[in-house]
Amino acid sequence: MAAGHFRIRPQSQTRGYKLDVLVSLFGASTLELLSFEPPGWGANLLRGLAASIQIACGAFGLGLLIGIGGAYGKLYGGPVVRDLLETYTTVVRAVPELVLILILYFAGTDLINQLMTALGYPPVDINGLIAGIGVLAVVQGAYSTEVLRGAILAIPQGQIEAARAYGMPPGLLLRRITLPAMLPFAIPGLANLWLIATKDTALLAVVGFSELTQTTRQAAGATKAYFTFFMAAGVLYLSLTLFSEVIIKRVERWSRRGMPSVSGPH
Amino acid sequence: MSEALAIPLRRRVMGWLQPHRIVLILIALAIVMAAAIFMRWDWLPQYMPLALQGIWRTIWLLVVTSALGLAIALPLGLVQVTGPIWLAVPAKAFCTIIRGTPLLLQLWLLYYGLGSLFPQFPWIRESFLWPYLRQAWPYGVMALTISYAGYEGEVMRGAFAGVPRGQLEAARAFGMSRWKVFRRIWLPQAIHRALPTLAGETVLQLKATPLVATITMVDIYSVASRVRQETFITYEPLLLLALVYMAITGVLVFLFRKLEARIPSRLG
Amino acid sequence: MKTFFKTAAAAALIALAGVASASAQQTKVGFSPEAYPPFYSQDASGAWGGWEVEIVNAICAEAKLDCVLTPIPWDGLIPGLNSKKIDAIMNSMSITADRMKEIDFSDKYYNTPTGVAGAKDQTFDASPAGLKGKIIGVQVSTVHAAYAKKHFTEAAEIKEYQTQDEANQDLAAGRIDATQADSIALDAFLKSDQGKGCCDMKGIVAPDDEVLGPGVGAGVRKDDAELKGKINAAIKAIRDNGKYAEITKKYFDFDVYGEAAQSN
């Protein structure tokens, strides 16, 4: 038995204990698993990252649409619309995303198919990507409703009144005045939401969607190099965040063009 | 006296109970009634003790990790504002890394990642820590604590930096020691500034607790999962679970409002 | 808001229906995307293979079904089947009376005993007495979890994992003393680099047909007698024409169909 053991790992015996540990932590043997060519799992991880970004983009965009509708409804809608929207944002902000994802993932597709049948359409096949985007968009929509509502409220009232006085129709008012004027107030909140969206995609691993966290878990399970793969995925997520932050800074500067500097004159 | 109080209260209730709200409430009640009658709840009595235990675990986890996290967040925020660079940079990096990666991944890295290294360190199994390292909860507590510390550390940095400089200078001019300035002026004002976000962060922390179910910890979420798996009922346990979380959130928000009301708002 | 969103979603879905309807004829076979060698395993390119994947393909080819493997987490398979996310489950799911209340099963396509693996440095057997005071890991909502809860609850502490792979991982890490699972799947783990070093098979558990059931079958919806008939015919056909034996030979040196094959 001991001889067999010795024969399997002759190198580590000579290299000594500490080096052996380092090798097993980050060493060549497990780092090879990250290469892009099989037997490396790197390509798989990148595919997972691409899926994560795709879901995050979709969910953020769709959430933004829900948010614009929601903010308008909350500010200018009738009492019933306002109360329903309040219920929506309160519920979503109080229930864990994981629970919402499970409910929407199972019930959502079920309900839509029942709805389609009721409307006289054949049941549709909702693929994982669309379900994932839809589920996260419902969550994102609640938060962006609040962000956009706050941003619209922060617009100096005079600007909107002036536009109204000029007889601007509501559609034009939204496009020319409200949206551009609220942007600087909305961007910090929306940027935060984007970062949340990228991280919330990880929760879809629990419903088996192969985004980055799920592919990482599969790779780790297949190779038993749990530590290496989770670290690698962490680096990928972190790069995505840091890269996003650079872009966000640029967008922020762009949206504030023509506005007085926040810090004021020195 | 009581009459004088009764009128505004009645008016407030009337103002809230507008006609359309009565209709909405009736509709909501009808939905709840329909859910109670047409959905399956026969599993409830059997799982009640387990569910109560799960709720208790969830609240325990929330309180312990928020308290520990806040304790770490204070120095994290402070050193970023005033600390030497060899403390400020690691603190900043810590916050960036924690906030830049999903909690689920951090949790799995801690539990399965570290777990996969244990066989290579035989001495760990002989150490006095082994009985704890064997269990799941230390990893859950650790992951949630550092996550809370990362987010709240960033908030505290802003809060410490936001206290007007003049106040600190004035306090120094009065001859207060640096420690006294910190204890009497800086810290209370920073906490007061951070308090509104504290409520939000704690609700977010509550919403993060069910993730620990993925590393075999038994919280209320995992009890609901167990009901789903054992009875094959999909929606009912999840709906009840959502209701439980909403109730806990409601209590949290209420407590934080009370706390905020107790602290005088005219500071600074 | 909710109705608004649903209508919007329905509208979006109608737009996508053109894409989706192309897959209307496909039979979606649900499986949980996790390593479960030798039945299901993934290679580095992300493709799934293993004994059961090959059997699924053989059954589908025999029954002339256009099958697509659809990943769904283990505990979502039965709800997914009933909400028509998938049309069949072929994921080493044992036929049990409890599951039969929710879904229907085809005939079995394999049946192997249930074993207990444990740490090498401990000696015990797979009985309640042997497992006294131990921590046993099982995968949630499996026959093994049901069996452990029925027979070992009083003697041992039971820990439930989302996947068997994670239970194996914790066994190797020393966090649990034993894991109860399909003996073939355990054998694959014990032969792996990780399993070789830490653990060995402690024995086969005492039979309990009520919990463990007559074997593994394909799960189908209760009202889907057509698919059930096709799968049953295909299982019989590949048993008879040697395809089953041919696939099995690649992975095992014995017949995993189970001894009952000779008697009935």
Side-chain angles (χ1 to χ4, degrees):
Chain A
M1 182 64 217
H5 183 75
F6 185 78
R7 218 174 308 135
I8 294 165
R9 298 163 67 190
Q11 278 182 310
S12 51
Q13 292 280 339
T14 50
R15 265 186 296 189
Y17 181 67
K18 269 198 179 148
L19 203 62
D20 185 28
V21 163
L22 274 181
V23 164
S24 53
L25 268 181
F26 295 107
S29 55
T30 56
L31 281 185
E32 261 166 31
L33 293 170
L34 293 173
S35 76
F36 296 116
E37 299 289 324
W41 290 70
N44 244 10
L45 290 197
L46 286 190
R47 264 198 294 277
L49 178 67
S52 286
I53 294 175
Q54 216 177 344
I55 302 170
C57 286
F60 183 71
L62 200 55
L64 207 56
L65 288 183
I66 299 175
I68 293 173
Y72 253 73
K74 263 198 170 181
L75 288 170
Y76 310 115
V80 178
V81 172
R82 262 189 240 185
D83 281 354
L84 287 181
L85 283 174
E86 191 63 41
T87 315
Y88 162 61
T89 52
T90 310
V91 168
V92 169
R93 287 184 301 162
V95 178
E97 280 78 4
L98 194 57
V99 179
L100 285 174
I101 285 172
L102 281 179
I103 293 179
L104 291 170
Y105 186 74
F106 288 117
T109 45
D110 223 15
L111 282 175
I112 287 170
N113 267 341
Q114 278 175 13
L115 194 80
M116 297 294 278
T117 322
L119 291 172
Y121 295 98
V124 286
D125 176 20
I126 297 155
N127 72 35
L129 182 71
I130 293 173
I133 288 176
V135 167
L136 284 186
V138 172
V139 178
Q140 286 269 312
Y143 286 95
S144 52
T145 295
E146 292 299 309
V147 168
L148 293 176
R149 193 183 74 100
I152 292 174
L153 282 177
I155 301 173
Q157 198 55 36
Q159 294 192 5
I160 293 175
E161 275 166 15
R164 284 224 180 99
Y166 271 108
M168 232 184 228
L172 197 65
L173 176 81
L174 175 73
R175 195 155 54 82
R176 285 243 180 105
I177 312 293
T178 317
L179 283 185
M182 75 164 189
L183 217 51
F185 303 111
I187 279 180
L190 292 181
N192 207 11
L193 274 183
W194 162 253
L195 295 179
I196 290 174
T198 57
K199 283 178 286 170
D200 272 1
T201 56
L203 297 178
L204 292 175
V206 176
V207 291
F209 187 77
S210 32
E211 43 62 67
L212 182 52
T213 302
Q214 174 73 2
T215 45
T216 305
R217 185 197 203 182
Q218 286 170 349
T223 59
K224 303 294 162 203
Y226 282 81
F227 198 78
T228 311
F229 278 107
F230 285 137
M231 286 300 263
V235 169
L236 287 179
Y237 275 112
L238 193 61
S239 340
L240 179 59
T241 301
L242 294 178
F243 177 71
S244 302
E245 276 174 356
V246 172
I247 303 287
I248 288 164
K249 281 228 172 81
R250 292 220 170 147
V251 173
E252 216 164 333
R253 213 179 308 145
W254 168 80
S255 76
R256 284 190 185 281
R257 71 201 187 286
M259 285 182 82
S261 163
V262 196
S263 43
H266 288 283
Chain B
M1 176 70 190
S2 67
E3 226 166 290
L5 267 173
I7 293 166
L9 184 69
R10 227 184 97 207
R11 201 173 286 158
R12 217 165 62 202
V13 171
M14 289 307 284
W16 195 81
L17 269 182
Q18 293 155 10
H20 78 273
R21 284 233 171 90
I22 296 173
V23 176
L24 284 180
I25 289 169
L26 285 178
I27 293 174
L29 276 179
I31 293 173
V32 171
M33 288 294 282
I37 293 167
F38 294 115
M39 294 179 110
R40 280 184 58 191
W41 301 103
D42 50 323
W43 48 272
L44 253 180
Q46 193 196 335
Y47 288 98
M48 208 50 172
L50 210 59
L52 289 178
Q53 205 185 342
I55 292 175
W56 160 243
R57 289 268 185 91
T58 294
I59 293 175
W60 179 87
L61 198 61
L62 173 70
V63 172
V64 168
T65 58
S66 302
L68 285 176
L70 192 63
I72 300 174
L74 281 178
L76 267 181
L78 191 64
V79 296
Q80 282 184 64
V81 174
T82 183
I85 192 149
W86 52 270
L87 275 177
V89 169
K92 175 89 190 142
F94 174 83
C95 287
T96 308
I97 289 171
I98 295 303
R99 284 153 31 97
T101 50
L103 176 57
L104 188 62
L105 192 78
Q106 295 165 15
L107 192 65
W108 288 355
L109 176 70
L110 277 180
Y111 188 76
Y112 291 111
L114 283 186
S116 71
L117 300 181
F118 288 157
Q120 290 155 18
F121 301 92
W123 52 265
I124 291 182
R125 290 199 195 174
E126 272 105 58
S127 84
F128 71 101
L129 280 173
W130 181 241
Y132 298 100
L133 291 175
R134 267 194 107 169
Q135 295 172 39
W137 67 264
Y139 302 89
V141 167
M142 196 163 137
L144 283 172
T145 301
I146 60 170
S147 157
Y148 193 82
Y151 282 92
E152 199 55 33
E154 192 68 20
V155 171
M156 287 316 298
R157 183 191 62 81
F160 277 120
V163 175
R165 275 231 115 23
Q167 296 207 14
L168 305 180
E169 280 159 15
R172 287 289 283 163
F174 268 111
M176 282 189 191
S177 70
R178 283 178 74 111
W179 168 241
K180 212 174 198 179
V181 173
F182 175 73
R183 206 161 42 90
R184 289 234 182 122
I185 315 285
W186 212 5
L187 184 65
Q189 290 215 41
I191 288 183
H192 186 254
R193 274 165 183 272
L195 207 52
T197 61
L198 203 62
E201 288 292 337
T202 310
V203 171
L204 288 181
Q205 181 77 349
L206 169 70
K207 291 169 68 175
T209 53
L211 293 180
V212 300
T214 61
I215 57 161
T216 76
M217 273 181 80
V218 182
D219 70 332
I220 181 65
Y221 173 85
S222 80
V223 173
S225 305
R226 186 163 161 189
V227 175
R228 278 171 51 222
Q229 285 144 9
E230 285 178 3
T231 62
F232 299 108
I233 301 172
T234 315
Y235 302 128
E236 288 86 343
L238 283 174
L239 289 178
L240 196 64
L241 185 64
L243 217 60
V244 167
Y245 280 111
M246 284 200 282
I248 302 178
T249 306
V251 172
L252 268 184
V253 170
F254 175 77
L255 288 180
F256 270 101
R257 267 204 201 135
K258 284 238 147 181
L259 186 67
E260 272 172 67
R262 282 190 53 175
I263 295 175
S265 58
R266 279 220 43 185
L267 260 174
Chain C
M1 185 60 209
K2 258 195 159 164
T3 46
F4 161 75
F5 177 70
K6 264 182 223 148
T7 354
L13 284 167
I14 291 165
L16 288 161
V19 189
S21 63
S23 61
Q25 263 74 50
Q26 288 176 331
T27 305
K28 291 197 287 288
V29 177
F31 75 106
S32 63
E34 66 193 67
Y36 191 62
F39 299 106
Y40 270 90
S41 57
Q42 198 182 23
D43 67 20
S45 67
W48 288 93
W51 180 85
E52 200 166 4
V53 176
E54 290 197 41
I55 289 292
V56 169
N57 287 336
I59 289 175
C60 289
E62 190 64 42
K64 303 204 166 47
L65 296 167
D66 181 12
C67 292
V68 202
L69 280 178
T70 308
I72 294 221
W74 171 254
D75 61 358
L77 282 171
I78 288 178
L81 183 65
N82 282 332
S83 65
K84 299 191 177 159
K85 268 197 174 64
I86 47 175
D87 303 304
I89 302 168
M90 292 197 226
N91 199 194
S92 295
M93 189 178 269
S94 296
I95 305 163
T96 66
D98 268 351
R99 288 179 179 143
M100 290 285 258
K101 286 180 203 149
E102 297 296 312
I103 59 171
D104 205 354
F105 278 98
S106 73
D107 297 339
K108 70 159 186 174
Y109 53 88
Y110 81 83
N111 185 21
T112 46
T114 293
V116 170
K120 254 187 189 153
D121 51 12
Q122 298 183 31
T123 41
F124 54 87
D125 58 24
S127 68
L131 289 164
K132 196 162 182 54
K134 303 267 185 270
I135 306 173
I136 313 174
V138 287
Q139 183 182 4
V140 287
S141 114
T142 55
V143 288
H144 311 298
Y147 186 95
K149 277 182 202 161
K150 184 173 168 188
H151 295 279
F152 303 141
T153 302
E154 281 169 21
E157 185 189 332
I158 295 165
K159 247 181 152 184
E160 291 183 280
Y161 291 83
Q162 290 302 309
T163 67
Q164 182 58 40
D165 185 56
E166 287 166 354
N168 294 344
Q169 175 65 24
D170 262 8
L171 179 61
R175 287 205 185 104
I176 53 178
D177 301 306
T179 178
Q180 185 203 326
D182 183 273
S183 53
I184 307 283
L186 281 181
D187 208 43
F189 164 66
L190 293 174
K191 282 190 183 131
S192 70
D193 286 343
Q194 193 185 29
K196 251 187 296 195
C198 73
C199 318
D200 57 7
M201 191 70 98
K202 299 297 180 193
I204 299 297
V205 298
D208 181 347
D209 282 347
E210 197 190 321
V211 176
L212 295 176
V216 166
V220 290
R221 275 186 293 278
K222 278 192 167 169
D223 57 2
D224 204 351
E226 192 196 338
L227 184 61
K228 180 181 167 181
K230 280 185 183 172
I231 293 175
N232 279 345
I235 292 172
K236 193 167 169 5
I238 60 167
R239 282 291 295 168
D240 290 343
N241 69 14
K243 184 84 187 152
Y244 186 98
E246 187 191 312
I247 295 170
T248 305
K249 222 187 302 170
K250 284 200 268 178
Y251 294 87
F252 311 110
D253 47 11
F254 59 98
D255 189 4
V256 287
Y257 190 76
E259 284 154 335
Q262 278 87 39
S263 55
N264 48 38

